[in-house]
Amino acid sequence: MKKPKDAGLISGVTAGTGAPLAAVVGAGGSTLSIASSRILGLYYFPQVGYASSSLLLTDKYQFPTYLRTIPSDAVQSKGMADLVHHFGWRWIGTIAADDDYGKYGVKAFKEKVENTYTCIAFSETIPKIYSREKLKKVVETIKNSTATVIVVYSSDIDFHPLLEEMMVSNISSKTWIASEAWVTSALIARPEYFPLLGGAIGFGVRKGDIPGLKEFLLDVRPGEDPEDDMAIEFWQSAFNCTWPNANISYNTDNRKNVTGHENRVDFASDVLCTGKENLAELNNTYLDVSELRITYNVYKAVYAVAYGLEQLRTCEPGHGPFSSGPDCTKIDEFEPWQLMYYMKNRMTFSVLGEDVHIDDKGDVYTSYDILNWQKGENGEVAFVPVGTFNMTTENDMEFHIQNDSIFWNNPAGARPRSTCNLNCQPGYRKGILQGKPSCCYDCIRCAEGQISNITDARECTGCEEDYWSNNERNKCVLKEVEYLAYEDALGMTLIALSVFGALVVLSVTGVYIKFRNTALVKANDRELSFLIQFSLVGTLMTSILFIGKPEDWSCMSRQVTLALGFSVCLSCVLGKTVTLCLTQLAMNSKVAEKARMLVKPICQKIIVLNSVLTQVGIVCAYLILNPPRMYKNTQFSITKIIYECNEGSILYLCVMFGFDVFLAILSFLTAFVARKLPNNFNEAKFVTFGMLVFFIVWISFVPAYLSTRGKFKVAVEIFAILASSFGLLGCIFVPKCYIILLKPLRNTEEIVGGRAATNDKSAPPTSASCTSEVNNTTVSTVLED
């Protein structure tokens, strides 16, 4: 290759006195740059790298004079991590070359990519010295791993043997993340490797269009000087010929040469080179200036040295930076450290429209092109730009990618999924697996009342109070509402019984009205009998208020009407039994006899009125101070809402029904005392049985009521109301109706009053006559209206 006439970029730079060289540009690999920089740094000799991106070279204590025009691996690793996070890949494999570039590059990537959601599946190393056994282990790890995305930090030379071994093992459906060292390598980007590496995404350094470069390359040819070794070797490889009178071996490089063919020939070709071969006819990478990436970095590295020399040359005397000796130095007489000063402190320049700034650590921040391997029109591998990553400072970065432009090398042609295990579907949450990375998890079904409606949910969320999880645990639905509805079979049955009971009572009332002038009806206060019947209709119909969806008004009315209905009924019964009791006591006491004679029908009504007014007062206090309210009970059942009544003040409720119990006890005691009256029809005996039925029903009701929930709790109370009402109806009025309707001959004043005997032994005694025998003399007194 001809030596340019002007060897320096700035005139006057010679190899005379002073530094024989201005600076060193290179080397290519990080390992070589580290080794050379340790030596050059001892003499503070400037070194500008164009392809060495290792993080170690940022350390200015070890490498004080190293600068570079390619970003460090910290930038590329950050871009790779952002790419992985952008596509949601959670389970990543890494492969590194066994050198400083690979190991420190993967280390930086791991630090930036690993988090709670992203883990490293495996981390393998490509041996520097070829070993098929070690390569097979790496391939086996790749094949057995569930990770479908693999990051490779390696040069093309180191990655190529592993690539060949993977082709033998027929590994497919993997997505490769390429570092800048091999993403555009002609050694790797070959059509035969596309089935394996197609769809790879890599970070390529910024490319540039160097003006005049192609023309310069076309002008290269060997001269007459047989010592022009580089040009002769290139010519022989390019045209597959032997240069005359040259002692240069034909080609001993096993790598792909510039002709695009594998050439292992180490002997001279029989065809002699003429020197007139046309470079323009070659179709190879030599003349391809469309992907000038590393070449462009070399271009910038040379510019950096030239810019430093220019700063040194244009130093104004008296304003130089050097304190010892002259403050400026001469361009033809300077020390390496003096040039290093300008390159380290004032390194900002412009190249082909790009502003380049090398910071005090010797690093530069330039953008990366995100490239995707796609198949070109001629079957060649095309590096299609699909995005950019630009990191201007450590905290300022831009990441852009066009998802629709990416070719994915899998049967579905869709973005691959890379996780440790299958995604947890909605309705499940991720559970920790002991001894496994956080990205490996077990899918646990959400508990009842909790849901997850996204994939890979870390936690299940609870439903609101009125909602519950569906069977799939992916949606909250309204809880089932429970109350004793009208349309329920149980509700309809209870309503039918209530209406039937009310009709029976009304039938009895009809009988009483029709036979209102008979002795049996008039006996012991006819009006109280009608009032008892009216109250029984009220209590029976009150049970309907317990059916249906509870509302505030129904909750307040149901217990109040029930208590008032029973108080009217029991106070009337009490009015009747008080008279019977005094009659019984009058048999042995003159005082009781006088008291009995004073108890007129009006007195019975006063007892009823006072009792009812007392109950009304209690009820009013209850409704004013702490009335019942509708209550949605969610404590008893987690899957349903029970609509029920909150009874408000339990104290007032107990006082209200306690007063009814008090009336019932008085009625029972007075009736029990008068049960043995020697009359033809002792009503006290039937009232006693009625009160016993009443007590038995409500004593049984209490434990049954407390042990049930929901609509059955309401049903128990309705059954108690119906049972007690039917008990009073059957014990008090059925015997009288029997006499009135079936034994009308006994319904006379003589028989009812006890003044005439009856021979009908099959019939019960007649009415409420009150008889007593004193000194063998029968005294009969019939209490009438």
Side-chain angles (χ1 to χ4, degrees):
M1 184 180 292
K2 294 182 179 179
K3 183 177 182 181
K5 295 181 179 180
D6 188 2
L9 293 175
I10 302 175
S11 60
V13 177
T14 64
T17 60
L21 293 175
V24 172
V25 175
S30 294
T31 301
L32 292 177
S33 292
I34 290 171
S36 59
S37 185
R38 293 188 187 277
I39 299 173
L40 295 174
L42 296 175
Y43 302 97
Y44 220 68
F45 202 96
Q47 180 182 2
V48 184
Y50 55 85
S52 302
S53 58
S54 174
L55 286 168
L56 284 178
L57 294 168
T58 303
D59 186 358
K60 294 299 104 178
Y61 290 100
Q62 298 187 61
F63 312 102
T65 62
Y66 186 83
L67 301 87
R68 51 187 164 192
T69 56
I70 186 173
S72 73
D73 286 334
V75 178
Q76 182 177 205
S77 298
K78 174 61 179 173
M80 288 182 173
D82 287 354
L83 179 71
V84 169
H85 293 155
H86 171 77
F87 287 114
W89 293 322
R90 300 289 182 247
W91 195 233
I92 311 299
T94 62
I95 297 176
D98 191 13
D99 54 22
D100 295 320
Y101 169 72
K103 289 186 290 186
Y104 284 98
V106 165
K107 179 177 179 291
F109 170 73
K110 288 181 179 179
E111 291 174 352
K112 292 177 174 60
V113 79
E114 285 187 298
N115 54 32
T116 306
Y117 307 100
T118 309
C119 306
I120 301 300
F122 63 85
S123 189
E124 294 291 335
T125 302
I126 304 174
K128 202 68 176 177
I129 300 176
Y130 180 81
S131 170
R132 189 173 184 188
E133 292 301 321
K134 293 182 179 180
L135 292 176
K136 282 185 175 180
K137 290 181 179 179
V138 176
V139 171
E140 196 66 24
T141 300
I142 297 171
K143 182 185 296 185
N144 295 333
S145 175
T146 57
T148 59
V149 177
I150 303 172
V151 174
V152 179
Y153 254 102
S154 173
S155 65
D156 53 355
I157 298 175
D158 293 328
F159 185 45
H160 186 260
L162 178 62
L163 181 58
E164 290 286 347
E165 194 63 39
M166 287 191 294
M167 292 293 293
V168 173
S169 299
N170 194 26
I171 292 179
S172 59
S173 298
K174 301 287 184 180
T175 299
W176 302 86
I177 308 299
S179 64
E180 97 291 337
W182 67 271
V183 65
T184 57
S185 169
L187 179 64
I188 304 297
R190 295 161 61 178
E192 55 266 34
Y193 297 144
F194 190 83
L196 173 62
L197 298 180
I201 302 175
F203 286 73
V205 295
R206 180 171 179 172
K207 67 179 180 180
D209 185 12
I210 302 176
L213 178 61
K214 186 169 186 178
E215 290 75 11
F216 173 78
L217 294 175
L218 289 172
D219 191 49
V220 171
R221 62 185 59 251
E224 296 179 358
D225 186 1
E227 300 299 325
D228 196 356
D229 295 344
M230 292 183 62
I232 293 174
E233 183 179 356
F234 163 72
W235 206 265
Q236 290 183 153
S237 298
F239 296 104
N240 196 21
C241 61
T242 301
W243 192 263
N245 303 321
N247 296 323
I248 300 173
S249 60
Y250 178 71
N251 185 13
T252 59
D253 194 349
N254 289 334
R255 289 175 289 167
K256 183 180 178 183
N257 58 31
V258 295
T259 64
H261 300 284
E262 199 73 35
N263 193 341
R264 298 176 182 269
V265 182
D266 56 0
F267 51 86
S269 173
D270 295 335
V271 180
L272 296 177
C273 300
T274 63
K276 297 180 180 180
E277 290 83 2
N278 188 1
L279 287 172
E281 296 178 354
L282 292 177
N283 182 19
N284 53 36
T285 57
Y286 175 72
L287 295 175
D288 184 6
V289 294
S290 62
E291 291 291 332
L292 298 180
R293 299 183 183 274
I294 299 300
T295 306
Y296 178 54
N297 275 353
V298 176
Y299 190 76
K300 288 192 290 186
V302 175
Y303 252 88
V305 177
Y307 182 78
L309 291 172
E310 178 66 12
Q311 294 295 316
L312 185 148
R313 185 183 69 84
T314 57
C315 176
E316 297 181 5
H319 297 85
F322 309 117
S323 58
S324 60
D327 53 3
C328 287
T329 186
K330 297 180 181 180
I331 189 64
D332 55 353
E333 295 180 1
F334 64 88
E335 297 294 331
W337 64 269
Q338 293 173 323
L339 175 61
M340 188 62 207
Y341 170 82
Y342 290 102
M343 297 186 69
K344 183 176 181 180
N345 295 285
R346 302 182 184 181
M347 193 48 59
T348 300
F349 56 93
S350 179
V351 180
L352 301 180
E354 177 189 0
D355 293 329
V356 180
H357 172 71
I358 301 177
D359 61 18
D360 56 354
K361 294 182 179 180
D363 289 332
V364 64
Y365 291 97
T366 60
S367 62
Y368 279 98
D369 291 331
I370 302 177
L371 307 176
N372 179 227
W373 280 27
Q374 300 183 17
K375 186 166 290 187
E377 295 180 357
N378 299 324
E380 300 292 327
V381 177
F383 310 117
V384 179
V386 294
T388 58
F389 178 75
N390 187 17
M391 189 172 180
T392 55
T393 64
E394 291 183 1
N395 300 318
D396 188 12
M397 63 196 73
E398 295 179 359
F399 178 85
H400 300 287
I401 193 165
Q402 301 170 359
N403 297 344
D404 297 337
S405 303
I406 300 176
F407 166 72
W408 302 107
N409 190 22
N410 54 57
R415 182 184 67 183
R417 173 183 172 276
S418 187
T419 56
C420 180
N421 48 286
L422 295 176
N423 290 337
C424 290
Q425 299 302 314
Y428 292 82
R429 66 173 178 86
K430 296 195 292 187
I432 298 174
L433 289 177
Q434 296 295 333
K436 295 288 185 178
S438 60
C439 299
C440 297
Y441 45 81
D442 189 18
C443 293
I444 302 174
R445 186 174 175 83
C446 292
E448 290 187 352
Q450 296 183 334
I451 65 163
S452 65
N453 52 12
I454 60 174
T455 302
D456 283 342
R458 298 196 64 84
E459 297 291 341
C460 297
T461 56
C463 296
E464 296 180 1
E465 183 180 6
D466 291 348
Y467 290 83
W468 195 249
S469 57
N470 58 357
N471 293 332
E472 292 75 22
R473 308 284 201 277
N474 60 4
K475 184 170 63 174
C476 287
V477 296
L478 279 171
K479 289 182 178 180
E480 179 186 351
V481 176
E482 180 181 297
Y483 58 88
L484 186 57
Y486 295 108
E487 57 272 14
D488 287 352
L490 181 59
M492 289 188 290
T493 301
L494 294 175
I495 291 174
L497 290 175
S498 300
V499 173
F500 172 74
L503 293 176
V504 172
V505 176
L506 292 175
S507 299
V508 172
T509 303
V511 171
Y512 266 57
I513 293 173
K514 183 177 180 180
F515 299 97
R516 62 185 177 275
N517 295 319
T518 61
L520 194 57
V521 174
K522 291 191 298 180
N524 204 2
D525 204 312
R526 179 174 52 189
E527 284 76 10
L528 289 183
S529 297
F530 283 118
L531 196 56
I532 292 174
Q533 294 165 14
F534 169 77
S535 64
L536 287 176
V537 172
T539 54
L540 286 168
M541 297 308 294
T542 297
S543 60
I544 298 178
L545 294 175
F546 288 82
I547 303 173
K549 182 179 179 181
E551 302 289 349
D552 288 344
W553 67 267
S554 63
C555 288
M556 289 189 289
S557 62
R558 59 172 63 171
Q559 302 290 8
V560 169
T561 54
L562 178 62
L564 287 174
F566 275 128
S567 65
V568 172
C569 179
L570 294 173
S571 61
C572 293
V573 173
L574 178 61
K576 284 176 170 287
T577 56
V578 165
T579 303
L580 297 175
C581 179
L582 291 175
T583 302
Q584 173 66 30
L585 296 176
M587 295 174 61
N588 301 314
S589 173
K590 294 182 179 181
V591 175
E593 173 65 19
K594 292 179 180 180
R596 185 186 69 81
M597 298 300 294
L598 292 174
V599 176
K600 302 297 182 180
I602 188 64
C603 296
Q604 295 174 311
K605 295 176 177 61
I606 291 174
I607 293 174
V608 173
L609 180 61
N610 289 334
S611 300
V612 172
L613 288 177
T614 303
Q615 184 69 289
V616 169
I618 298 173
V619 166
C620 290
Y622 180 36
L623 294 178
I624 293 173
L625 298 177
N626 195 354
R629 290 285 186 267
M630 192 277 289
Y631 170 63
K632 294 189 295 185
N633 188 348
T634 58
Q635 305 301 319
F636 175 69
S637 176
I638 58 178
T639 60
K640 63 178 66 175
I641 301 174
I642 300 176
Y643 282 90
E644 59 185 18
C645 290
N646 182 351
E647 304 301 345
S649 174
I650 301 299
L651 176 62
Y652 278 106
L653 185 68
C654 292
V655 171
M656 186 173 64
F657 284 103
F659 183 73
D660 287 341
V661 173
F662 173 71
L663 293 177
I665 292 174
L666 289 180
S667 299
F668 173 74
L669 292 176
T670 54
F672 184 77
V673 171
R675 74 188 186 283
K676 294 184 179 181
L677 280 174
N679 50 30
N680 292 330
F681 191 94
N682 189 355
E683 189 177 23
K685 190 181 301 182
F686 298 104
V687 172
T688 303
F689 285 119
M691 291 299 102
L692 286 175
V693 172
F694 185 86
F695 289 136
I696 291 171
V697 168
W698 288 100
I699 291 173
S700 304
F701 158 77
V702 172
Y705 182 81
L706 296 177
S707 61
T708 54
R709 290 291 185 275
K711 61 183 180 181
F712 298 105
K713 185 175 186 179
V714 178
V716 167
E717 188 168 2
I718 296 175
F719 274 120
I721 295 170
L722 295 177
S724 58
S725 299
F726 279 113
L728 293 174
L729 175 65
C731 292
I732 296 175
F733 294 106
V734 169
K736 289 187 177 183
C737 290
Y738 175 80
I739 297 296
I740 294 170
L741 296 176
L742 300 181
K743 303 293 182 180
L745 296 178
R746 297 190 57 191
N747 191 8
T748 63
E749 291 184 5
E750 291 77 11
I751 296 177
V752 171
R755 294 189 294 271
T758 177
N759 296 321
D760 188 359
K761 303 299 182 181
S762 63
T766 50
S767 184
S769 61
C770 303
T771 61
S772 61
E773 294 182 3
V774 180
N775 299 322
N776 298 322
T777 302
T778 301
V779 179
S780 299
T781 302
V782 179
L783 300 177
E784 297 179 348
D785 295 343

PDB file of all heavy atoms in Angstrom, residues 194-207:
ATOM      1  N   PHE A 194     -28.978 -18.021   9.531  1.00  0.00           N
ATOM      2  CA  PHE A 194     -30.222 -17.278   9.744  1.00  0.00           C
ATOM      3  C   PHE A 194     -31.314 -18.108  10.425  1.00  0.00           C
ATOM      4  O   PHE A 194     -32.055 -17.571  11.247  1.00  0.00           O
ATOM      5  CB  PHE A 194     -30.744 -16.725   8.412  1.00  0.00           C
ATOM      6  CG  PHE A 194     -31.871 -15.750   8.577  1.00  0.00           C
ATOM      7  CD1 PHE A 194     -31.613 -14.412   8.869  1.00  0.00           C
ATOM      8  CD2 PHE A 194     -33.199 -16.160   8.462  1.00  0.00           C
ATOM      9  CE1 PHE A 194     -32.646 -13.512   9.038  1.00  0.00           C
ATOM     10  CE2 PHE A 194     -34.233 -15.265   8.626  1.00  0.00           C
ATOM     11  CZ  PHE A 194     -33.961 -13.935   8.921  1.00  0.00           C
ATOM     12  N   PRO A 195     -31.465 -19.428  10.119  1.00  0.00           N
ATOM     13  CA  PRO A 195     -32.487 -20.199  10.848  1.00  0.00           C
ATOM     14  C   PRO A 195     -32.304 -20.175  12.355  1.00  0.00           C
ATOM     15  O   PRO A 195     -33.273 -20.273  13.106  1.00  0.00           O
ATOM     16  CB  PRO A 195     -32.321 -21.618  10.287  1.00  0.00           C
ATOM     17  CG  PRO A 195     -31.749 -21.414   8.922  1.00  0.00           C
ATOM     18  CD  PRO A 195     -30.828 -20.235   9.050  1.00  0.00           C
ATOM     19  N   LEU A 196     -31.060 -20.020  12.813  1.00  0.00           N
ATOM     20  CA  LEU A 196     -30.786 -19.980  14.241  1.00  0.00           C
ATOM     21  C   LEU A 196     -30.838 -18.554  14.797  1.00  0.00           C
ATOM     22  O   LEU A 196     -31.462 -18.292  15.817  1.00  0.00           O
ATOM     23  CB  LEU A 196     -29.411 -20.593  14.528  1.00  0.00           C
ATOM     24  CG  LEU A 196     -28.907 -20.468  15.974  1.00  0.00           C
ATOM     25  CD1 LEU A 196     -29.841 -21.200  16.925  1.00  0.00           C
ATOM     26  CD2 LEU A 196     -27.488 -21.012  16.087  1.00  0.00           C
ATOM     27  N   LEU A 197     -30.190 -17.626  14.090  1.00  0.00           N
ATOM     28  CA  LEU A 197     -30.038 -16.262  14.612  1.00  0.00           C
ATOM     29  C   LEU A 197     -31.015 -15.266  14.003  1.00  0.00           C
ATOM     30  O   LEU A 197     -30.995 -14.087  14.370  1.00  0.00           O
ATOM     31  CB  LEU A 197     -28.606 -15.764  14.365  1.00  0.00           C
ATOM     32  CG  LEU A 197     -27.487 -16.554  15.047  1.00  0.00           C
ATOM     33  CD1 LEU A 197     -26.137 -15.949  14.704  1.00  0.00           C
ATOM     34  CD2 LEU A 197     -27.694 -16.577  16.554  1.00  0.00           C
ATOM     35  N   GLY A 198     -31.839 -15.713  13.065  1.00  0.00           N
ATOM     36  CA  GLY A 198     -32.801 -14.789  12.471  1.00  0.00           C
ATOM     37  C   GLY A 198     -33.704 -14.168  13.521  1.00  0.00           C
ATOM     38  O   GLY A 198     -34.122 -14.822  14.466  1.00  0.00           O
ATOM     39  N   GLY A 199     -33.994 -12.886  13.353  1.00  0.00           N
ATOM     40  CA  GLY A 199     -34.799 -12.181  14.339  1.00  0.00           C
ATOM     41  C   GLY A 199     -34.001 -11.647  15.508  1.00  0.00           C
ATOM     42  O   GLY A 199     -34.583 -11.057  16.431  1.00  0.00           O
ATOM     43  N   ALA A 200     -32.669 -11.854  15.481  1.00  0.00           N
ATOM     44  CA  ALA A 200     -31.836 -11.333  16.568  1.00  0.00           C
ATOM     45  C   ALA A 200     -31.953  -9.811  16.634  1.00  0.00           C
ATOM     46  O   ALA A 200     -32.119  -9.127  15.619  1.00  0.00           O
ATOM     47  CB  ALA A 200     -30.383 -11.745  16.360  1.00  0.00           C
ATOM     48  N   ILE A 201     -31.892  -9.302  17.848  1.00  0.00           N
ATOM     49  CA  ILE A 201     -31.934  -7.858  18.075  1.00  0.00           C
ATOM     50  C   ILE A 201     -30.616  -7.464  18.718  1.00  0.00           C
ATOM     51  O   ILE A 201     -30.217  -8.044  19.742  1.00  0.00           O
ATOM     52  CB  ILE A 201     -33.116  -7.465  18.967  1.00  0.00           C
ATOM     53  CG1 ILE A 201     -34.431  -7.932  18.343  1.00  0.00           C
ATOM     54  CG2 ILE A 201     -33.146  -5.962  19.199  1.00  0.00           C
ATOM     55  CD1 ILE A 201     -35.633  -7.682  19.221  1.00  0.00           C
ATOM     56  N   GLY A 202     -29.963  -6.498  18.127  1.00  0.00           N
ATOM     57  CA  GLY A 202     -28.658  -6.097  18.638  1.00  0.00           C
ATOM     58  C   GLY A 202     -28.482  -4.601  18.652  1.00  0.00           C
ATOM     59  O   GLY A 202     -29.265  -3.840  18.074  1.00  0.00           O
ATOM     60  N   PHE A 203     -27.439  -4.181  19.316  1.00  0.00           N
ATOM     61  CA  PHE A 203     -27.115  -2.772  19.443  1.00  0.00           C
ATOM     62  C   PHE A 203     -25.882  -2.486  18.593  1.00  0.00           C
ATOM     63  O   PHE A 203     -24.784  -2.997  18.863  1.00  0.00           O
ATOM     64  CB  PHE A 203     -26.856  -2.417  20.905  1.00  0.00           C
ATOM     65  CG  PHE A 203     -28.113  -2.349  21.732  1.00  0.00           C
ATOM     66  CD1 PHE A 203     -28.787  -3.504  22.088  1.00  0.00           C
ATOM     67  CD2 PHE A 203     -28.634  -1.141  22.118  1.00  0.00           C
ATOM     68  CE1 PHE A 203     -29.952  -3.447  22.827  1.00  0.00           C
ATOM     69  CE2 PHE A 203     -29.804  -1.059  22.861  1.00  0.00           C
ATOM     70  CZ  PHE A 203     -30.460  -2.219  23.219  1.00  0.00           C
ATOM     71  N   GLY A 204     -26.091  -1.702  17.554  1.00  0.00           N
ATOM     72  CA  GLY A 204     -24.997  -1.328  16.677  1.00  0.00           C
ATOM     73  C   GLY A 204     -24.574   0.109  16.948  1.00  0.00           C
ATOM     74  O   GLY A 204     -25.408   1.000  17.124  1.00  0.00           O
ATOM     75  N   VAL A 205     -23.257   0.317  16.980  1.00  0.00           N
ATOM     76  CA  VAL A 205     -22.779   1.680  17.189  1.00  0.00           C
ATOM     77  C   VAL A 205     -23.190   2.550  16.015  1.00  0.00           C
ATOM     78  O   VAL A 205     -23.486   2.058  14.909  1.00  0.00           O
ATOM     79  CB  VAL A 205     -21.249   1.695  17.376  1.00  0.00           C
ATOM     80  CG1 VAL A 205     -20.851   0.968  18.648  1.00  0.00           C
ATOM     81  CG2 VAL A 205     -20.554   1.080  16.166  1.00  0.00           C
ATOM     82  N   ARG A 206     -23.224   3.817  16.251  1.00  0.00           N
ATOM     83  CA  ARG A 206     -23.696   4.748  15.234  1.00  0.00           C
ATOM     84  C   ARG A 206     -22.819   4.649  13.989  1.00  0.00           C
ATOM     85  O   ARG A 206     -21.595   4.594  14.069  1.00  0.00           O
ATOM     86  CB  ARG A 206     -23.670   6.166  15.794  1.00  0.00           C
ATOM     87  CG  ARG A 206     -24.145   7.214  14.829  1.00  0.00           C
ATOM     88  CD  ARG A 206     -24.299   8.540  15.521  1.00  0.00           C
ATOM     89  NE  ARG A 206     -24.726   9.582  14.603  1.00  0.00           N
ATOM     90  CZ  ARG A 206     -25.086  10.803  14.975  1.00  0.00           C
ATOM     91  NH1 ARG A 206     -25.070  11.131  16.260  1.00  0.00           N
ATOM     92  NH2 ARG A 206     -25.474  11.695  14.088  1.00  0.00           N
ATOM     93  N   LYS A 207     -23.475   4.625  12.840  1.00  0.00           N
ATOM     94  CA  LYS A 207     -22.732   4.547  11.591  1.00  0.00           C
ATOM     95  C   LYS A 207     -22.623   5.926  10.960  1.00  0.00           C
ATOM     96  O   LYS A 207     -23.389   6.845  11.280  1.00  0.00           O
ATOM     97  CB  LYS A 207     -23.389   3.567  10.627  1.00  0.00           C
ATOM     98  CG  LYS A 207     -24.761   3.989  10.105  1.00  0.00           C
ATOM     99  CD  LYS A 207     -25.307   2.948   9.149  1.00  0.00           C
ATOM    100  CE  LYS A 207     -26.689   3.362   8.612  1.00  0.00           C
ATOM    101  NZ  LYS A 207     -27.232   2.357   7.676  1.00  0.00           N
TER     102      LYS A 207
END
